[in-house]
Amino acid sequence: MNISALIPTVYPGNLPGFLQVAFFLSLLLLVFKAAQLYLHRQWLLKALQEFPSPPSHWFYGHKIHRDQELQDLLTRVKKFPRACPRWFWGSRAHFVTYDPDYMKLILGRSDPKSHDTYRLLAPWIGYGLLLLNGQTWFQHRRMLTPAFHYDILKPYVRIMADSVCVMLDKWEQMISQNSTLEIFQPISLMTLDTIMKCAFSYRGNVQLGGKVQPYIQAIMDMNNLLFSRLRNAFHQNDIIYSLTYDGHWTNRACQIAHEHTDQVIKCRRAQLQDEGELEKIKRKRRLDFLDILLFAKMENGSSLSDKDLRAEVDTFMFEGHDTTASGVSWTLHALATHPEHQQRCREEVQGLLGDGTPISWDLLDQMPYTTMCIKEALRLYPPVPAVSRMLNTPVTFPDGRSLPKGVTVQLSFYGLHHNPKVWPNPEVFDPSRFAPERTQHSHSFLPFSGGPRNCIGKQFAMSELKVSVALTLLRFELLPDPTRIPVLMPRIVLKSMNGIYLHLRKLP
Ligand code: HEM
């Protein structure tokens, strides 16, 4: 039978036989794909029917300008109680929640990370702790938890302080020429320096060499590229994406990031060989994060492949510096724009360190007001604005509404922290919200997420935040630059579209 007889209007009948078959099969595939997308859309519409959302287009979903995402979210938070679906395109929608009870329920379950979002991170950070699920995640988490024990963290305070001082010395030199500085970049270098020294026993000083600048830039690029890819229906397929300009760019950025982490692993392996046998090293000194990974492999050859090791190093290198850089930068910005709180923190820190006492682990617990200000900054500017899960069983929320298995749930920490039902006057910087006598819902403040998949580096990050803020306030008065107000940019990590500029005044 001649196939062209079946589709006479669209089919060019004079093609050779094999092209006719190819044409027919492509058409069939197209129809099949369209039917699949249509059915998935119908399923999503039904799954989300109990949750109203603003009107969306059947093809391109909710049309939100990429610079307006947070403003749009805040409008939804006010208008739709607890949660609201967000349609990206006809067949993709996420259920976005910003309610503490909903968050508590979801974070207490064991749903996996949502595949459609997190898989895009895999070419870069691999399947390390952040992306793993199930039993393998559990084993890795158990293996790595000792690296964050407070006995290990205590001596890190000295390393953190040294890294911060290198940055502040540079700032001092720079402000002799121009007292306004973009702080996100140097703070990223500082937090990268710190994580490389603490977790990977790296001995160089990355803040002075300039060699890591390409890595920092690659991370910045990846944040933007991933965000764009998530919002582009045509960029979901890996093969198609790899042929696009953005796909090439992503590959290049991944390559740069991997070159950096490979170098760190190589250095450490060489160091370990110099230091001798595993048992000798274990007796000699504490094991850092990378030791644990390398020894886990040595003790049980099959337990941690080179690929797994690389994934963990890539994960911790990124998670351990970019999030903290965001936290420190936004906290300094918040203090610059609220001089009265800045001064109160400074007085507290001067009381502890003003006579030249070096900062130490024990002193970090004696800065209650500074800690309240840091928390308030993390509320207003959560470094990780959202995370997502894919429901592996149906869920019924406390208000009786439910969702079936298979829905992607986005937990918007930014939405939660700016939800006026949870935080009255949410846009006001008010550290007294975190005063010890004030009570809050257990899930109203989640910069480090919650439940079993909370941030493993929370304590590390809080220590680094306190050290950075305390030492900066001892040396500088911070003022905002009214000509360059930062514009929030929600990527994997919360950044500013136009950098974060502060005016620094050296204190006598
Ligand atoms: C202010 C700084 C930080 C913030 C706000 C932050 C926030 C978070 C959040 C919200 C998650 C949950 C992610 C998800 O569910 O997809 C997370 C997970 C994680 N964080 Fe952090 N983080 C910070 C610093 C750090 C540091 C310093 C490290 C490492 C030294 C780290 C390592 C990790 C890892 C490995 C995970 C995955 C944990 C797991 O799934 O078991 N983070 N972090």
Side-chain angles (χ1 to χ4, degrees):
M1 184 179 75
N2 188 345
I3 294 164
S4 62
L6 293 174
I7 36 176
T9 50
V10 289
Y11 176 69
N14 53 356
L15 285 179
F18 77 93
L19 280 183
Q20 290 184 17
V21 173
F23 179 79
F24 182 68
L25 286 178
S26 311
L27 204 67
L28 210 65
L29 195 72
L30 213 67
V31 172
F32 175 72
K33 195 73 202 157
Q36 207 183 26
L37 293 177
Y38 174 78
L39 288 175
H40 187 65
R41 177 175 167 76
Q42 293 307 311
W43 177 81
L44 269 174
L45 283 168
K46 191 159 178 279
L48 300 170
Q49 66 188 353
E50 290 184 85
F51 299 90
S53 72
S56 67
H57 190 272
W58 69 269
F59 184 63
Y60 55 74
H62 287 121
K63 206 161 188 295
I64 303 167
H65 192 271
R66 54 186 292 173
D67 303 342
Q68 299 293 317
E69 296 245 351
L70 290 179
Q71 286 89 325
D72 180 77
L73 172 69
L74 296 187
T75 314
R76 286 157 183 251
V77 169
K78 284 189 199 125
K79 198 162 168 201
F80 302 98
R82 297 177 182 271
C84 168
R86 156 93 198 260
W87 287 86
F88 289 91
W89 52 86
S91 59
R92 177 167 299 173
H94 286 177
F95 173 83
V96 183
T97 178
Y98 27 77
D99 176 82
D101 291 323
Y102 277 37
M103 297 245 179
K104 190 173 175 184
L105 188 60
I106 299 291
L107 289 172
R109 291 164 43 112
S110 57
D111 302 301
K113 303 272 173 102
S114 69
H115 182 68
D116 61 3
T117 317
Y118 286 83
R119 81 176 180 88
L120 306 184
L121 284 165
W124 163 25
I125 57 170
Y127 283 89
L129 204 58
L130 187 72
L131 299 200
L132 284 171
N133 285 305
Q135 195 54 25
T136 324
W137 165 77
F138 182 73
Q139 284 165 357
H140 281 223
R141 178 100 186 191
R142 206 172 45 181
M143 174 178 79
L144 292 171
T145 298
F148 293 90
H149 188 275
Y150 73 94
D151 274 344
I152 301 267
L153 298 183
K154 270 182 186 177
Y156 286 171
V157 172
R158 202 54 259 145
I159 301 177
M160 290 168 182
D162 288 346
S163 293
V164 175
C165 286
V166 172
M167 180 185 77
L168 298 178
D169 289 346
K170 275 169 77 178
W171 284 5
E172 243 179 67
Q173 283 173 11
M174 287 159 86
I175 61 165
S176 56
Q177 286 135 31
N178 181 359
S179 62
T180 303
L181 278 185
E182 196 292 308
I183 59 163
F184 203 103
Q185 283 280 328
I187 290 177
S188 299
L189 270 181
M190 181 273 287
T191 54
L192 183 63
D193 191 14
T194 306
I195 195 73
M196 284 178 66
K197 286 189 174 130
C198 293
F200 306 112
S201 298
Y202 189 79
R203 289 177 188 161
N205 193 323
V206 306
Q207 294 187 81
L208 300 177
K211 275 197 203 148
V212 294
Q213 202 58 49
Y215 175 76
I216 300 266
Q217 186 57 47
I219 303 297
M220 184 74 180
D221 292 346
M222 217 86 84
N223 262 287
N224 290 328
L225 289 161
L226 263 151
F227 180 82
S228 300
R229 190 176 174 191
L230 270 171
R231 279 149 185 78
N232 188 331
F234 303 105
H235 283 181
Q236 298 308 301
N237 181 285
D238 290 343
I239 298 171
I240 295 175
Y241 186 64
S242 68
L243 300 174
T244 63
Y245 177 74
D246 278 12
H248 282 292
W249 193 357
T250 302
N251 274 345
R252 182 72 198 118
C254 283
Q255 219 179 327
I256 293 171
H258 293 160
E259 278 163 16
H260 172 75
T261 44
D262 282 345
Q263 186 58 27
V264 171
I265 297 173
K266 216 170 103 192
C267 266
R268 193 79 192 101
R269 279 207 162 117
Q271 241 173 288
L272 284 179
Q273 268 171 6
D274 288 347
E275 285 176 274
E277 295 295 306
L278 165 68
E279 280 312 314
K280 266 195 249 160
I281 296 166
K282 272 188 176 171
R283 259 182 274 124
K284 205 164 74 183
R285 58 170 172 71
R286 69 184 167 80
L287 298 184
D288 70 21
F289 166 81
L290 189 51
D291 292 330
I292 291 178
L293 291 174
L294 290 168
F295 293 156
K297 185 171 179 284
M298 286 185 221
E299 281 164 2
N300 173 2
S302 63
S303 68
L304 210 59
S305 65
D306 279 0
K307 199 168 143 218
D308 289 346
L309 175 85
R310 233 280 284 286
E312 291 301 359
V313 173
D314 278 316
T315 300
F316 277 79
M317 191 74 77
F318 156 62
E319 272 283 334
H321 95 277
D322 208 24
T323 46
T324 325
S326 172
V328 174
S329 305
W330 287 112
T331 303
L332 296 184
H333 164 74
L335 290 173
T337 44
H338 297 89
E340 65 289 9
H341 298 297
Q342 183 186 150
Q343 186 51 26
R344 224 178 128 182
C345 291
R346 183 173 295 109
E347 281 162 17
E348 184 177 76
V349 174
Q350 277 169 342
L352 295 169
L353 310 171
D355 60 355
T357 307
I359 195 158
S360 64
W361 174 266
D362 295 333
L363 291 180
L364 298 185
D365 277 343
Q366 296 174 37
M367 313 177 175
Y369 199 75
T370 309
T371 308
M372 281 159 60
C373 287
I374 292 172
K375 286 187 176 170
E376 178 63 348
L378 292 176
R379 182 190 68 79
L380 275 174
Y381 307 104
V384 178
V387 299
S388 10
R389 301 286 185 268
M390 156 85 94
L391 296 183
N392 61 2
T393 51
V395 62
T396 300
F397 294 108
D399 60 6
R401 293 189 287 179
S402 53
L403 290 173
K405 170 185 172 177
V407 169
T408 297
V409 176
Q410 191 191 103
L411 305 153
S412 170
F413 301 137
Y414 189 89
L416 172 78
H417 291 179
H418 291 253
N419 187 341
K421 294 214 172 69
V422 183
W423 299 100
N425 301 319
E427 302 311 321
V428 175
F429 182 84
D430 175 10
S432 73
R433 298 177 202 268
F434 293 96
E437 67 277 7
R438 296 275 281 267
T439 51
Q440 299 153 358
H441 188 295
S442 61
H443 285 64
S444 58
F445 177 63
L446 295 172
F448 298 101
S449 189
R453 297 223 58 170
N454 71 349
C455 176
I456 196 172
K458 174 181 169 177
Q459 202 60 44
F460 181 103
M462 279 308 287
S463 306
E464 194 170 3
L465 272 153
K466 289 182 195 176
V467 172
S468 309
V469 171
L471 297 184
T472 306
L473 294 185
L474 272 184
R475 273 220 229 173
F476 296 105
E477 185 187 347
L478 312 173
L479 300 112
D481 176 354
T483 62
R484 282 180 282 206
I485 295 165
V487 179
L488 270 69
M489 181 168 80
R491 298 294 182 258
I492 314 171
V493 168
L494 187 69
K495 309 220 166 179
S496 161
M497 219 169 283
N498 51 345
I500 300 181
Y501 284 85
L502 292 189
H503 185 76
L504 303 188
R505 207 175 279 158
K506 174 94 178 71
L507 292 168

